[in-house]
Amino acid sequence: MKVLGLILELNPPHYGHKYFIDKAIEKAQPDVTIAIITTNFSMRGDISVINKFDKTSICLDNKIDLVLELPYIGAVASADYFCSNAVNILNKFGITDIAFGCELANITKLRKLNNLLSNPKYNESLKEYLQKGFSYSNACNKALMTMTRDLTLIENFSMPNNTLAIQYISAIDKIKEKTDKEINIHLIQRIENNYYDTITTSNIASATAIRELIANNDDFSNYVINNEVKYLDINSAYDKLLTIIKSTFILKNDIYEIRDLLGVKEGIENRIDNILSSSNLADSYEELVKNACTKRYTTNYIKRLLLNIILKVPDQIQKIDYLRVLGFNKNGEDYIKTLPKNIKSEIITTYKGSLSNEGIYELKATKLYGLLSGDENIYLKEYQMPIRRK
């Protein structure tokens, strides 16, 4: 049996995703297609413009048989943790094939990049350039240039989808090393636009560009798969998020209670506290993030950090062990029945009963999303059974 695994953020679900899903299925010819999705917050620490339950429904309407959850503490993380967590969950569900999109659809080149970035000499050079005061992205570029003169590798390694592709390959290789299991990789070339591109003449536009349309109250209906779901009021949501961040710092008993949270290091909590206490440095969420960034700490790091502080995620959480089903059709339901007993016993279908660490923080994240989106009762859906399609 061929089982295809896909990893999707769907922020929002657009025609580029539809192309990717169709192309992946065309290449792999699977008997079952499984998607694991990020939930109400993205890997980069952004608020999702649609909730995870609507994402699940859209997946099931677009050739996905089984939808799994990549929970908050597995998803809102750096690329290496994000990719490792997603691939490991899919592997537990028995995937034989995996597909992911990238700007450089060349497995040989991507593997070469992965080998270079895994080389201790790369990390040594990276540290040297960081110590010299270069920003993290510039330091990465310069470190790579000490390792290779291949312009294709140098130009492509920092592309967002290539960055994820390299980490997916690394996670797949580690599975093979441990279990000798071969997972077939299918690369889907990104078309029409890149991650940060603006709107194009076709109906395939980048998620970044579509979110900008949503934020500006411009018409985005031609670019998304589903117009009927409720989309986030982005500006209002980030205004609320800033208020919650300010309240978290104002109401703290001591700065030490923040220092023990995930991602807090080297006095960054004092930097944020000082920014929030100063006039005109945090009049908006964007200003807060911008002023909190340093050459070492990127925008994405700061956004993830702020969410971890709000949700009080402890620093010791690194690895997840979590199998949750959000939805399925008949084919997906039948496939679950074929899984080994030990895997079936780990599957979570509802939050009724005791919760693991992953579940505790996912529930908190859903409650936070409810406050930000104006749908405060959305967390009640966590106690319902998975979405089912005939």
Side-chain angles (χ1 to χ4, degrees):
M1 177 179 282
K2 293 188 74 174
V3 183
L4 173 64
L6 306 176
I7 301 161
L8 301 170
E9 283 217 307
L10 304 174
N11 187 29
H14 55 71
Y15 284 103
H17 292 122
K18 181 171 175 54
Y19 170 84
F20 166 72
I21 293 168
D22 290 346
K23 202 71 178 175
I25 291 173
E26 178 187 321
K27 280 193 171 190
Q29 293 293 304
D31 300 292
V32 180
T33 302
I34 303 175
I36 184 167
I37 64 170
T38 55
T39 54
N40 297 315
F41 297 91
S42 76
M43 186 196 84
R44 294 172 176 83
D46 293 324
I47 312 168
S48 178
V49 295
I50 68 170
N51 68 63
K52 67 182 181 182
F53 305 105
D54 287 337
K55 287 183 188 181
T56 301
S57 291
I58 291 170
C59 282
L60 295 173
D61 291 337
N62 285 274
K63 302 181 182 179
I64 304 298
D65 299 307
L66 177 59
V67 183
L68 309 178
E69 176 171 275
L70 185 57
Y72 174 87
I73 60 174
V76 183
S78 57
D80 51 348
Y81 282 112
F82 173 93
C83 296
S84 175
N85 289 328
V87 170
N88 286 334
I89 291 172
L90 286 171
N91 182 52
K92 284 198 169 188
F93 274 84
I95 61 166
T96 59
D97 295 68
I98 191 169
F100 38 86
C102 47
E103 293 88 358
L104 179 62
N106 182 318
I107 190 69
T108 303
K109 293 279 189 183
L110 289 174
R111 284 196 180 280
K112 188 173 181 180
L113 255 179
N114 183 40
N115 291 335
L116 289 171
L117 298 178
S118 302
N119 191 313
K121 291 182 180 178
Y122 170 79
N123 286 323
E124 290 171 12
S125 294
L126 177 60
K127 288 178 182 177
E128 288 177 10
Y129 283 114
L130 287 172
Q131 288 170 357
K132 290 177 181 179
F134 287 94
S135 69
Y136 186 78
S137 58
N138 285 335
C140 289
N141 266 301
K142 289 186 173 294
L144 183 63
M145 290 171 70
T146 66
M147 305 285 293
T148 180
R149 295 187 181 276
D150 188 328
L151 290 178
T152 302
L153 299 184
I154 293 168
E155 290 169 0
N156 276 275
F157 103 100
S158 60
M159 292 282 193
N161 291 98
N162 290 339
T163 300
L164 293 174
I166 292 164
Q167 295 298 336
Y168 291 141
I169 291 168
S170 177
I172 291 163
D173 287 347
K174 286 176 183 176
I175 288 171
K176 185 177 180 182
E177 288 172 12
K178 290 180 181 179
T179 66
D180 203 34
K181 177 183 176 181
E182 190 82 45
I183 297 176
N184 301 311
I185 296 172
H186 306 276
L187 301 179
I188 310 298
Q189 176 73 56
R190 186 167 184 139
I191 63 168
E192 301 284 352
N193 60 78
N194 286 318
Y195 182 85
Y196 296 109
D197 283 354
T198 54
I199 292 298
T200 62
T201 54
S202 78
N203 67 346
I204 295 181
S206 71
T208 304
I210 299 170
R211 289 196 297 272
E212 187 173 333
L213 289 177
I214 296 171
N216 293 332
N217 292 315
D218 292 328
D219 183 20
F220 59 92
S221 58
N222 290 333
Y223 306 106
V224 294
I225 297 173
N226 188 308
N227 290 313
E228 296 176 0
V229 299
K230 182 181 179 182
Y231 284 83
L232 185 76
D233 182 337
I234 291 178
N235 298 317
S236 172
Y238 280 105
D239 286 344
K240 291 176 183 177
L241 185 60
L242 177 62
T243 299
I244 294 171
I245 293 165
K246 288 181 176 179
S247 300
T248 301
F249 276 83
I250 289 170
L251 298 175
K252 68 184 183 301
N253 293 319
D254 192 285
I255 199 70
Y256 285 101
E257 71 182 55
I258 291 175
R259 287 177 184 170
D260 293 332
L261 300 178
L262 184 62
V264 179
K265 53 188 175 181
E266 297 179 1
I268 191 69
E269 72 283 4
N270 290 317
R271 181 180 179 84
I272 295 169
D273 199 24
N274 291 334
I275 291 168
L276 291 170
S277 302
S278 304
S279 60
N280 302 321
L281 289 181
D283 288 338
S284 69
Y285 173 80
E286 292 75 15
E287 279 189 340
L288 169 61
V289 172
K290 180 182 177 182
N291 288 319
C293 287
T294 67
K295 288 182 178 179
R296 185 178 292 270
Y297 298 124
T298 64
T299 299
N300 295 336
Y301 168 83
I302 296 297
K303 289 189 293 186
R304 290 192 292 258
L305 176 63
L306 292 172
L307 290 173
N308 289 337
I309 291 172
I310 291 170
L311 297 173
K312 293 182 169 54
V313 182
D315 188 42
Q316 67 265 25
I317 291 178
Q318 294 291 335
K319 185 180 178 184
I320 68 168
D321 188 15
Y322 179 85
L323 305 180
R324 188 182 184 194
V325 172
L326 289 174
F328 48 74
N329 61 19
K330 182 65 166 59
N331 195 36
E333 184 178 18
D334 288 343
Y335 176 70
I336 290 174
K337 295 173 183 177
T338 70
L339 293 171
K341 286 183 179 180
N342 64 313
I343 297 298
K344 284 191 285 190
S345 67
E346 293 180 37
I347 291 175
I348 302 163
T349 54
T350 173
Y351 276 176
K352 290 180 179 177
S354 62
L355 292 179
S356 63
N357 272 337
E358 296 94 336
I360 288 169
Y361 291 102
E362 179 61 25
L363 183 58
K364 289 177 71 173
T366 301
K367 288 180 177 180
L368 174 61
Y369 186 82
L371 291 174
L372 301 175
S373 65
D375 185 5
E376 295 183 16
N377 289 325
I378 192 172
Y379 77 93
L380 295 175
K381 291 186 178 182
E382 300 284 19
Y383 299 96
Q384 297 175 4
M385 295 300 288
I387 296 169
R388 186 183 227 151
R389 286 285 189 278
K390 292 183 179 179

